[in-house]
Amino acid sequence: MKNTDNPILVEYLRLFEDLLSAGVYSLEQDKKEALLLPVLNQLHQLHQLQNDEYRNIVKQHSADAKRIEELPYLAVRLFKHLNLKSINEKEVFKTLQSSGTTSQTPATIYLDKQTSARQSKVLVKILQQTIGKQRLPMLIIDSPDILKKPEFSARAAGIQGLAFFGRDHTYALDQNMQPNWPVIEAFCEKYAQQPILIFGFTFMVWLYFLKTLQQSDKRISLPKGVLIHSGGWKKLIDQQVDNDTFKQSLFATTGISRCFNFYGMAEQVGSIFVECEKGHLHAPVFADVLIRDPFTLKQCNIGEQGLVQVLSALPSSYPGHSLLTEDLGVLKGVDNCSCGAKGKYFAINGRLPKTEVRGCSDTHGAQL
């Protein structure tokens, strides 16, 4: 279907352009919702029109929402069991599979070219707020073999997405997930006095890089580096490693003081929530977060722990714009983070008990 054939899609694309022109973290929450809610309502209508499963699931809430918290949501695990796509087979440009252990069924996400391009564009706008616009020499804490596998995994998608921000991409691990010290040391020698970017999934950065440096009593010097990492903390919490311990170990072994975690998922690639310098995850203008009581599903107040609902303005090829996750989190505040960013900021506290592990970091750790 051409974009111009569907008036809902045309209106969605027009409204989305308004989001693109807004500052990523500069709008106060009420002004942000005034831009974001119409986009989410258009996606709600679009997916009802083009996706039978979605229409059946939300038929009791088919009308536009007047407030963001009134938008219906899908349980994120439905993407493991249903073919939730709002495009025909000919329009499928890329199929993305979520991370999972060998015993888990991965979620399958169907992307058309427009959604994929939108994801890339928004990811760039969000991360440029932290990394800047200059492409930096990039050390990737992973093995290049992950990109050679036939399935397009969330882990490979994460590396490819972040690779846009770097140049001279250098993989720190070999095919056995062991540090490739000659390669790492050559990279450090070449770029020791320059800004560089390091990316990896949290547990892999800890296990294969920082812990190995500690155990071998090695030190490298990259004082102008910035580390971006994601993928879940469950395996690190099991080892009693929190965010502060992680950052302290990074500084002690590499000299890197700039370290930022981000929260995201395969079902909402692109609209990620990045940690600020004060240690809080922030909702960008393209996305939002709600915390719901796990028993009543009513919206929690600031400071109350509950299930995390994530909303994204990006996916038009599948109904992933409003998802209830199995992650536990807490809203820390709105419009008043001391870092200066507006909108909501929050923390992730872990997973709902007895649910499957998720995230490239945690699922990899569960397979060890």
Side-chain angles (χ1 to χ4, degrees), residues 105-118:
T105 301
T108 303
I109 314 300
Y110 298 93
L111 305 177
D112 59 6
K113 286 185 178 179
Q114 291 75 23
T115 299
S116 180
R118 207 175 296 126

Side-chain angles (χ1 to χ4, degrees), residues 12-13 27 38 42 47-48 52 54 72-73 83 127 133 149-150 152 165 173 183 198 275 297 335 343 362:
Y12 160 71
L13 293 172
L27 294 182
Q42 291 301 312
H47 294 305
Q48 286 187 83
D52 292 341
Y54 181 76
Y73 45 80
N83 283 321
L127 279 178
K133 295 185 177 180
K149 296 184 177 181
F152 188 61
F165 297 89
L173 307 181
V183 168
I198 300 180
E275 179 185 12
L297 295 180
D335 294 334
D362 286 340

Side-chain angles (χ1 to χ4, degrees), residues 8-221:
I8 299 176
L9 187 56
V10 169
E11 180 64 3
Y12 160 71
L13 293 172
R14 186 188 72 78
L15 293 169
F16 185 78
E17 287 301 312
D18 292 339
L19 280 182
L20 274 178
S21 62
V24 174
Y25 301 116
S26 62
L27 294 182
E28 294 181 341
Q29 185 66 24
D30 58 344
K31 293 176 181 175
K32 167 185 163 176
E33 289 190 14
L35 285 180
L36 181 59
L37 180 58
V39 177
L40 294 170
N41 273 326
Q42 291 301 312
L43 288 173
H44 178 48
Q45 297 301 329
L46 178 69
H47 294 305
Q48 286 187 83
L49 178 68
Q50 299 187 175
N51 188 304
D52 292 341
E53 289 89 350
Y54 181 76
R55 182 170 59 252
N56 289 333
I57 293 169
V58 303
K59 60 185 177 183
Q60 301 297 324
H61 305 277
S62 59
D64 282 356
K66 295 181 180 178
R67 303 174 64 183
I68 277 188
E69 54 267 34
E70 294 175 359
L71 276 164
Y73 45 80
L74 300 184
V76 71
R77 66 167 50 215
L78 281 180
F79 286 87
K80 292 175 177 287
H81 305 295
L82 299 175
N83 283 321
L84 290 168
K85 62 175 181 288
S86 303
I87 52 177
N88 61 47
E89 286 296 334
K90 291 182 179 178
E91 293 174 299
V92 175
F93 168 66
K94 189 182 295 180
T95 301
L96 175 63
Q97 290 199 324
S98 68
S99 53
T101 65
T102 53
S103 62
Q104 293 177 357
T105 301
T108 303
I109 314 300
Y110 298 93
L111 305 177
D112 59 6
K113 286 185 178 179
Q114 291 75 23
T115 299
S116 180
R118 207 175 296 126
Q119 290 175 338
S120 299
K121 183 180 290 188
V122 166
L123 182 68
V124 168
K125 281 190 72 83
I126 293 173
L127 279 178
Q128 280 181 342
Q129 307 300 308
T130 302
I131 301 173
K133 295 185 177 180
Q134 184 181 7
R135 288 193 171 190
L136 302 175
M138 185 172 181
L139 185 65
I140 301 167
I141 312 299
D142 211 314
S143 165
D145 286 10
I146 186 64
L147 301 180
K148 299 175 184 175
K149 296 184 177 181
E151 70 274 15
F152 188 61
S153 67
R155 193 169 138 204
I159 292 172
Q160 288 191 353
L162 269 293
F164 178 85
F165 297 89
R167 58 182 172 83
D168 192 8
H169 303 101
T170 301
Y171 286 83
L173 307 181
D174 63 20
Q175 65 272 25
N176 299 314
M177 300 298 284
Q178 297 300 309
N180 192 337
W181 290 120
V183 168
I184 295 171
E185 289 166 357
F187 181 91
C188 294
E189 183 177 349
K190 186 175 181 180
Y191 297 116
Q193 300 305 317
Q194 299 181 33
I196 62 105
L197 172 63
I198 300 180
F199 171 69
F201 294 101
T202 308
F203 183 67
M204 297 179 207
V205 174
W206 173 259
L207 182 66
Y208 301 126
F209 191 57
L210 300 183
K211 198 170 180 180
T212 304
L213 281 167
Q214 290 176 333
Q215 291 175 339
S216 59
D217 205 25
K218 283 179 175 286
R219 298 291 182 270
I220 60 176
S221 180

